[in-house]
Amino acid sequence: MPPVLNLDPASLDLSRVVADQEAIRRVNPQRFEMEQLNAIVHVDTELHIFAGYKDVRADEFWVRGHMPDYPLFPGVLMCEAAAQLCSYYIATHGLLQADFVGFGGMENVRFRGQVRPGDRLLLIGKATKLNRRQSIFDVQGFVGSTMVFHAEIYGVPMRK
């Protein structure tokens, strides 16, 4: 059974970009093949709910080898995209007392559908615990209205 929605994906206007890739780069340290977010499209600081997306392209590094003749976006990269979304949120809203947010762990991860080149993976996160030593987020991923994955993501403050 899928979890209760953090936010109905149909309620979002994906053309209303709050932060484009350049704005994300000013906050998140990932570059080149490891950049997994294209835009932030929703931020609600009262409810700590936020959303962004990744446009999955046919020329990405994993396509050739992750299921040749039927490329599937790897689950580990879905998780990385979700972690980058959480990192962006915590870093841009005064919740971080460090250089960046590190990936501290994951729990209750479930993959429920496919993500393929040409798809837009919409990620919707909700902070469930915000603390100076650890933050926990509930993140859900969608292609269209279909939930394709969900997970609890743990973020920890990191210093360079």
Side-chain angles (χ1 to χ4, degrees), residues 27-30 87-88 90-91 96-103 132 155-160:
V27 176
N28 285 0
Q30 293 84 2
S87 178
Y88 177 85
I90 200 167
L96 179 65
Q97 305 301 317
D99 295 322
F100 62 95
V101 176
F103 208 162
R132 66 180 176 84
V156 293
M158 304 290 288
R159 296 254 178 234
K160 290 183 181 174

Side-chain angles (χ1 to χ4, degrees), residues 85-135:
L85 175 69
C86 297
S87 178
Y88 177 85
Y89 177 75
I90 200 167
T92 56
H93 290 87
L95 305 170
L96 179 65
Q97 305 301 317
D99 295 322
F100 62 95
V101 176
F103 208 162
M106 299 184 76
E107 298 211 12
N108 303 314
V109 180
R110 297 292 179 273
F111 299 101
R112 301 182 160 277
Q114 300 176 21
V115 181
R116 306 212 49 233
D119 287 343
R120 175 170 280 174
L121 175 62
L122 173 64
L123 300 158
I124 300 174
K126 180 177 184 176
T128 58
K129 176 184 175 186
L130 293 169
N131 177 301
R132 66 180 176 84
R133 290 186 301 195
Q134 181 184 65
S135 298

Side-chain angles (χ1 to χ4, degrees), residues 38-97:
N38 295 111
I40 306 297
V41 294
H42 178 82
V43 176
D44 180 334
T45 55
E46 273 187 40
L47 297 176
H48 296 294
I49 295 175
F50 43 94
Y53 64 78
K54 174 185 177 47
D55 288 325
V56 181
R57 300 181 332 267
D59 65 347
E60 295 193 50
F61 75 94
W62 54 267
V63 170
R64 186 174 67 126
H66 197 257
M67 313 311 252
D69 300 323
Y70 194 79
L72 294 173
F73 189 52
V76 68
L77 292 178
M78 288 186 220
C79 296
E80 176 64 23
Q84 290 180 24
L85 175 69
C86 297
S87 178
Y88 177 85
Y89 177 75
I90 200 167
T92 56
H93 290 87
L95 305 170
L96 179 65
Q97 305 301 317

